[in-house]
Amino acid sequence: MARHSVIAGGTAGQPSLGVVIVGAGFIADHHGAALRTSDRAHLAGIVDVDAGRAATAGRTAGGVPWTTDLAEALARPDVDAAIVCTPNVTHEAIALQVAAAGKHLLVEKPLSVDVPSARRVIHAFEQAGTTVMAAHTHRFYDYARAVADAIGGGAVGTPVFARLALLGGWIWPDWRAWVVDPGVSGGHALHNGVHLLDLVTWWIGAEPVSVYARGRKQTAAELGIHDYLEMTIDYDNGASAVCEMSRGHRPASLDRRDVLVVGTDGILQLPTDGWGSTVVTESGTALLHPQASDGFAVQLGAWLDAIDGGADAAMTPADALRAVALGVAAERSIERGEPVSVAEVLGGVPA
Amino acid sequence: MSDRALGVLLLGFAGLGPDQDHQQDMYLPAFGSHPGFEVVGVADTPAGASSSTGHRLAAKLGVPAAASWRDGLTDPAVDVVSVCVEPGLRVEAVTAALRAGKHVLVDKPLALTAAECREVGAVAAETGLVCLPAHHQRFHPMIGSALAAVAGGRVGLPWNVQADFLVAGGTPSEAGELANLGVYPIDVVLALTGQRVRQVHARITRHWHDGPADDLALLFLTHDHGVTSTVSVGRMRALADTRPAGLAVHRYRISGSHGVLDVDAARPAVAVRRAEATGATWHGASTVGRLLDVLHAAVTAGRSSSPGPADALHVAEIVDAARASAASGVPVELPDSEEGSR
């Protein structure tokens, strides 16, 4: 039986978009913070299958209504949209429910865990006439936009080779974390790998043809997912990209971004040691990040723009589908030990 | 150490590129400034216009020019032959020098195929003489310290290496840049990890130059102990801040069970910035100078060198497999080799 707060929902007449956050976990806090800075949208409620967690999140957010029943939240007239931060395998069912309720959706990446499922979600929103966007947040970080703008401005001519590495240590708490269960996350290529697969594809601006990936269980042999991924994409214009996504590096405090784009006219680099200050203390050397825009807030603005229908969406449903296809191709490639064509994944027919 | 300098015969002035002359550009200056060597003769192959090069150089150096390259090998004053002959003659020249009782320094690549490298290695082993392939990038000061750090366990057990070796400008090699430049980063990755390669996946493309030769190769290597590496190697267009045929990007990242080592071989450098151009400068022994130290030590100690023919063979096996993989689109397994590689 559903549980919910006794606070009545309803700030009807408020000019900004009412948004419920579904799934009150780690990443929901970032979306909540972005909503607090927005004058175009506000947090209208919290939905979580765990009543205690939902209630806590509702109280922390200043007393917004909470419920364990998504349908109840979506039925509220002051709720216009949902930001979904639940485990990946639940994205489709929740998205279909949001679409059926005629609401807009920002769903944490990946859009879904396989191509047919992602297509069903996109179709549902087309039918509903509402907006769906996958939260590929890296597209909205300063560094990614700087690289995209430089390439778009012709800084290196046509990109022919790119490297993107996001390297870190272990951030998942323990074996109970859903992200380490490939049955729930879809695997690391779908969970975090899609960030890089999407980003380099956006930068290179060509259609991916195939993915060759290698995975490693670096932190523990017993892992069900590959905490280190090395994924290579070949594009239809002859370009290639090598993406490394790691949660398996040591020391665990490692926090690396490395960007290299080689083009017909030049080289663009965001070197490992080139995007922060160095702090040397008794406990070692660390990188001090520069102040940066809040990528989640920028992303929220892009989603609201898409809902308003003014500009072209910064992250389209087709982009989200392609990211899922690339993630699936990477997981399949690791399994098979050879490249997997994107057409195969999009066609849904094994070679 | 020998109390006399080793006599050097400069044999050939060709390379993999149409205007490549490592003999005069790299080895001659390095021999000239090394106290352990003395150039005692010059010999050239009949091919192309280069035969006049040998005579001109001999006159300039005041040393004899051999009537033929085979005659040069009979000179008793010659201890070491520096071989820069054209690729088609390389195996013949190297094996002839070894059979003539001479130690050999061979410009890279030692040979164009694994089969040829195997042949050279067999002759070197049979004669017991030094046959040093010029894999000199492993003697870069940044790489040299990295080799020691990895071997000393500074990052724990290495499990991944990412390498980039991108030259900007200069004349492209007709043999393709995988054949021409690939040996350098592959040799460094092998030296860093000490692990043989078991599987190769590759993509070989051309982006900057006309003609059929490749100018960018991406290699995905799987080594013993599950170590993986990727190598990008190629020659792009000239860049304003890189000297012609200089390295625009040359770096290695080694990830280990207990740490990460980033090696930027564009360093150490004194950065100089001016109105019209930028540049960098550094003192200290050059990579070729250090290579000659290795040659001298091996010859005088009467032992084989590291790197040796087995290292060149393994690089050639990897390059061969990369071509096969690029053609087939799938990873290629390497056969077991009897010769070990370090």
Side-chain angles (χ1 to χ4, degrees), chain A residues 172-197:
Chain A
W172 298 313
D174 69 13
W175 295 113
R176 290 166 291 189
W178 66 263
V179 291
V180 302
D181 180 349
V184 181
S185 72
H188 198 201
L190 275 149
H191 186 64
N192 277 325
V194 287
H195 272 310
L196 296 85
L197 297 167

Side-chain angles (χ1 to χ4, degrees), chain A residues 104-124:
Chain A
H104 305 287
L105 173 65
L106 177 64
V107 57
E108 263 303 322
K109 47 78 216 168
L111 178 60
S112 194
V113 291
D114 64 50
V115 165
S117 165
R119 283 206 170 111
R120 286 192 292 271
V121 170
I122 292 168
H123 179 71

Side-chain angles (χ1 to χ4, degrees), chain A residues 143-210:
Chain A
Y143 86 96
R145 298 200 299 162
V147 171
D149 285 348
I151 293 171
V156 297
T158 304
V160 302
F161 171 53
R163 274 191 187 278
L164 170 61
L166 302 181
L167 310 180
W170 193 247
I171 63 153
W172 298 313
D174 69 13
W175 295 113
R176 290 166 291 189
W178 66 263
V179 291
V180 302
D181 180 349
V184 181
S185 72
H188 198 201
L190 275 149
H191 186 64
N192 277 325
V194 287
H195 272 310
L196 296 85
L197 297 167
D198 173 64
L199 200 52
V200 289
T201 300
W202 180 45
W203 287 343
I204 285 180
E207 272 308 310
V209 174
S210 70

Side-chain angles (χ1 to χ4, degrees), chain B residues 163-179:
Chain B
D164 294 302
F165 190 98
L166 298 170
V167 167
T171 310
S173 168
E174 289 159 7
E177 299 304 342
L178 174 61

